[in-house]
Amino acid sequence: MASVVEYKGPREGYRCGYCDAPEGKVSSGMWAHSMTVQDYQDLIDRGWRRSGKYVYKPVMNQTCCPQYTIRCRPLHFQPSKSHKKVLKKMFKFLSKGEFSKGNNEEEPMDSQMDDAGMHDFALKSKLDIKSDQRPLSEDCHEFKESKVKEKEDLEPKETKMLNQSHAKQEKLGSGEPSSSVKVVPSTPKPGKGADLSKPPCRKAKDIRKERKRQKLILKSQTDQVQHEEKPKLNQPKSIEDFIFDTLPDKSAHQLEVRLVPVSFEDPEFKSSFCQSLSLYAKYQMAIHKDTAAECGEAEFTRFLCSSPLEAENPPNGPDCGYGSFHQQYWLDGKIIAVGVIDVLPYCVSSVYLYYDPDYAFLSLGVYSALREIAFTRELHEKTSQLSYYYMGFYIHSCPKMRYKGQYRPSDLLCPETYVWVPIEQCLPALENSKYCRFNQDTKAVDEERIKELDRLRVLYKRTIMPYNIYKKRQKGPSDEAIVQQYADLVGQTCSERMLLFRS
């Protein structure tokens, strides 16, 4: 089955949702009547993105806020401190029902110090110090008294030991056998002297030295074991360790994540449609200030339920197959969030997320992204080539959209040569200019640039034909300029595979 697209051309002079410029946004678009997952994979690797069945590509060197395609590499992903904080918050809420609505951080991804524990420690220290404070004169007086008492206790013991020593010498001098010498140990009176049944007291300095020595011995033994067996010691916890940590038997809440194909023929999708629609409307009105008319059933269906992607279930693909899905988050029997995603040959592509604003304290935007990264890793185990997580667009010129760059390691797509470049290499250039070519090789070009326009495929009057045949049958003015523009944007491979509808 082939993709069928209808190119709409460039669209410019409309309001930008990122910088609010009234006429700053510029993009090219096409309506996808149907599309294979491989064609869409190749298109997003050239900077395209879909909204329902409409597929668009920003004109990067003209639009007010250049939108760079960003992808994360989940196989090497390690959650940051702020990511762990969100995952722990969710676990705490599910296990104990505890949460704090007053400290909701939905999108900021910068690592932040959690000073709650530090505050408790400081408070405890002050209380301890206060309770231990006493007048110095009292301490000195107690010290002197103890020294005097110690001296009194020791004097008779030392005298007795000295007398026993003299007696021993006398016995030895008289020629009697040493076995006849009987030394009777002195037993201190009750409440006085050292308790011989307990180990002698040790100085704190000696204890520290002993601990250090034990640590060095343990370290040398550990190093030897690592050298011989190389076990995985001190490995950081993976994202799965946090997400799938075992909840207690009597946990306060139950969370279930269901993957549902976007299809009205699917019974699970159909049965949950009304609840999902209601949640979408609640989210749009609360978060994006839409009116009820702007987030009704027609808009919801067009935007998040209509997909051009044809579902595919090849034998070597993931168990869920390829296509468009809703990842539903069910908390105690009701949907609190829905992540709209596309599963493609090389990636999981995030489309949209909507959630119940009443649960914003759980940072569901961050949590769902981490779940989708974990989901990508899970799919990779069955389908090795599926190893990326596409997060949509990274917009450096819009500070609130920079949070996507905190999911590391990640790459940005060069808008001229369509090669992936690590984001760390791109950021210095983006600080100086909104639009950047990331590929440092000045001789590099778009490998998919159009070399033979005549090989482009056209669907004309229900007949599939190459462009050179279509030109001969075409009536009216030539449309070669618009066809050339389309071909340059989709690349040689897609132009030969997809069908360009011409009326």
Side-chain angles (χ1 to χ4, degrees):
M1 189 171 185
S3 302
V4 180
V5 298
E6 189 173 354
Y7 184 60
K8 299 295 185 180
R11 182 188 174 197
E12 54 185 307
Y14 60 107
R15 192 183 72 83
C16 175
Y18 302 109
C19 68
D20 244 4
E23 298 181 348
K25 204 166 184 179
V26 185
S27 67
S28 297
M30 58 188 177
W31 187 260
H33 295 277
S34 67
M35 184 168 286
T36 66
V37 290
Q38 185 60 61
D39 284 339
Y40 185 54
Q41 175 73 69
D42 291 345
L43 286 175
I44 63 174
D45 283 336
R46 291 183 65 81
W48 292 82
R49 182 166 169 80
R50 78 174 183 88
S51 173
K53 288 190 173 185
Y54 184 74
V55 189
Y56 63 98
K57 183 182 189 304
V59 181
M60 300 291 280
N61 57 355
Q62 295 179 32
T63 192
C64 54
C65 295
Q67 299 158 260
Y68 299 92
T69 303
I70 183 171
R71 73 176 186 186
C72 173
R73 285 175 264 151
L75 305 187
H76 303 286
F77 176 81
Q78 280 295 335
S80 66
K81 287 183 179 179
S82 59
H83 296 153
K84 292 175 184 177
K85 185 177 178 181
V86 170
L87 295 172
K88 289 176 181 177
K89 178 167 59 177
M90 177 62 83
F91 182 82
K92 189 175 181 180
F93 172 72
L94 295 176
S95 58
K96 300 179 181 179
E98 297 177 6
F99 62 91
S100 173
K101 286 192 177 183
N103 188 25
N104 174 34
E105 298 172 4
E106 177 56 30
E107 282 188 343
M109 307 309 297
D110 295 332
S111 299
Q112 298 183 7
M113 182 70 129
D114 183 2
D115 57 3
M118 295 293 288
H119 173 75
D120 291 342
F121 176 76
L123 181 64
K124 183 180 178 182
S125 299
K126 287 178 183 177
L127 292 172
D128 290 344
I129 291 169
K130 188 174 179 180
S131 65
D132 287 343
Q133 286 176 344
R134 290 182 291 179
L136 184 62
S137 59
E138 289 182 18
D139 291 341
C140 292
H141 179 69
E142 286 183 8
F143 177 76
K144 287 178 181 178
E145 282 187 349
S146 65
K147 282 292 181 183
V148 171
K149 189 176 181 181
E150 216 174 275
K151 187 175 179 183
E152 289 174 353
D153 289 341
L154 286 174
E155 275 181 354
K157 181 179 177 181
E158 289 173 356
T159 305
K160 191 169 185 179
M161 290 291 287
L162 185 62
N163 292 337
Q164 288 175 348
S165 177
H166 285 317
K168 182 178 179 181
Q169 287 177 359
E170 289 173 3
K171 289 279 184 181
L172 291 172
S174 64
E176 292 184 14
S178 59
S179 59
S180 62
V181 180
K182 295 180 181 179
V183 180
V184 181
S186 65
T187 303
K189 295 179 181 179
K192 293 185 178 182
D195 188 347
L196 298 179
S197 65
K198 296 182 180 179
C201 294
R202 300 171 64 192
K203 292 183 179 179
K205 185 177 179 181
D206 294 336
I207 294 173
R208 288 196 297 270
K209 283 182 178 179
E210 178 63 22
R211 284 178 182 168
K212 186 176 181 181
R213 189 176 71 83
Q214 292 294 339
K215 283 182 181 179
L216 290 172
I217 293 172
L218 182 62
K219 186 178 183 303
S220 64
Q221 292 174 348
T222 303
D223 290 343
Q224 185 178 357
V225 171
Q226 284 179 335
H227 180 71
E228 293 174 358
E229 302 177 8
K230 295 184 179 179
K232 293 182 179 179
L233 296 176
N234 299 323
Q235 289 292 316
K237 289 180 73 173
S238 69
I239 189 171
E240 290 84 0
D241 292 334
F242 288 99
I243 292 174
F244 303 114
D245 197 2
T246 305
L247 289 168
D249 293 335
K250 295 183 179 179
S251 57
H253 301 285
Q254 292 295 326
L255 179 68
E256 181 188 1
V257 180
R258 301 178 190 173
L259 187 70
V260 182
V262 179
S263 170
F264 286 98
E265 296 178 1
D266 183 84
E268 198 167 359
F269 178 80
K270 194 173 180 180
S271 65
S272 61
F273 178 80
C274 291
Q275 189 179 162
S276 192
L277 168 62
S278 177
L279 178 63
Y280 168 76
K282 183 178 181 180
Y283 171 81
Q284 291 295 124
M285 289 190 285
I287 305 298
H288 296 291
K289 310 306 176 187
D290 286 358
T291 63
E294 291 174 320
C295 50
E297 182 176 343
E299 177 63 17
F300 173 64
T301 303
R302 182 203 66 78
F303 180 34
L304 297 176
C305 301
S306 295
S307 171
L309 301 183
E310 299 294 335
E312 297 180 24
N313 289 279
N316 58 342
D319 293 337
C320 62
Y322 298 117
S324 297
F325 299 86
H326 280 190
Q327 210 165 34
Q328 301 173 341
Y329 294 76
W330 291 77
L331 180 71
D332 301 333
K334 72 172 184 176
I335 303 175
I336 63 164
V338 177
V340 184
I341 61 173
D342 294 328
V343 178
L344 304 175
Y346 307 136
C347 73
V348 169
S349 175
S350 175
V351 178
Y352 199 68
L353 172 82
Y354 55 97
Y355 58 85
D356 190 334
D358 294 341
Y359 294 90
F361 62 88
L362 290 174
S363 303
L364 292 170
V366 178
Y367 182 76
S368 65
L370 296 172
R371 289 292 302 235
E372 286 167 11
I373 288 173
F375 179 57
T376 307
R377 288 160 62 115
E378 178 188 339
L379 296 182
H380 171 78
E381 293 180 5
K382 172 74 185 298
T383 310
S384 59
Q385 63 181 7
L386 202 164
S387 53
Y388 297 102
Y389 173 59
Y390 284 50
M391 296 178 280
F393 289 134
Y394 173 82
I395 307 168
H396 193 78
S397 58
C398 180
K400 69 178 182 180
M401 293 301 291
R402 294 182 186 178
Y403 70 93
K404 294 180 182 180
Q406 296 297 324
Y407 294 83
R408 303 286 180 91
S410 57
D411 309 304
L412 297 183
L413 187 68
C414 176
E416 295 181 10
T417 61
Y418 303 109
V419 297
W420 294 98
V421 181
I423 193 171
E424 294 85 357
Q425 298 177 26
C426 306
L427 295 179
L430 288 171
E431 288 294 330
N432 297 322
S433 174
K434 286 184 179 181
Y435 173 75
C436 299
R437 171 193 165 111
F438 300 135
N439 193 335
Q440 298 299 310
D441 183 358
T442 55
K443 295 180 180 179
V445 295
D446 173 17
E447 295 294 334
E448 279 287 308
R449 67 190 183 281
I450 292 296
K451 305 175 185 69
E452 297 181 56
L453 187 61
D454 287 346
R455 294 174 61 178
L456 179 144
R457 293 211 298 170
V458 176
L459 178 63
Y460 179 61
K461 292 185 177 180
R462 298 184 180 181
T463 305
I464 299 171
M465 61 189 74
Y467 182 67
N468 61 339
I469 301 298
Y470 161 75
K471 283 192 296 183
K472 296 174 183 178
R473 298 185 184 183
Q474 182 188 8
K475 296 177 181 180
S478 172
D479 61 358
E480 186 167 347
I482 196 78
V483 172
Q484 180 72 55
Q485 187 181 72
Y486 156 81
D488 289 336
L489 292 172
V490 302
Q492 185 74 47
T493 300
C494 281
S495 71
E496 294 178 22
R497 224 167 37 207
M498 299 193 304
L499 302 178
L500 176 63
F501 175 79
R502 305 307 288 166
S503 58

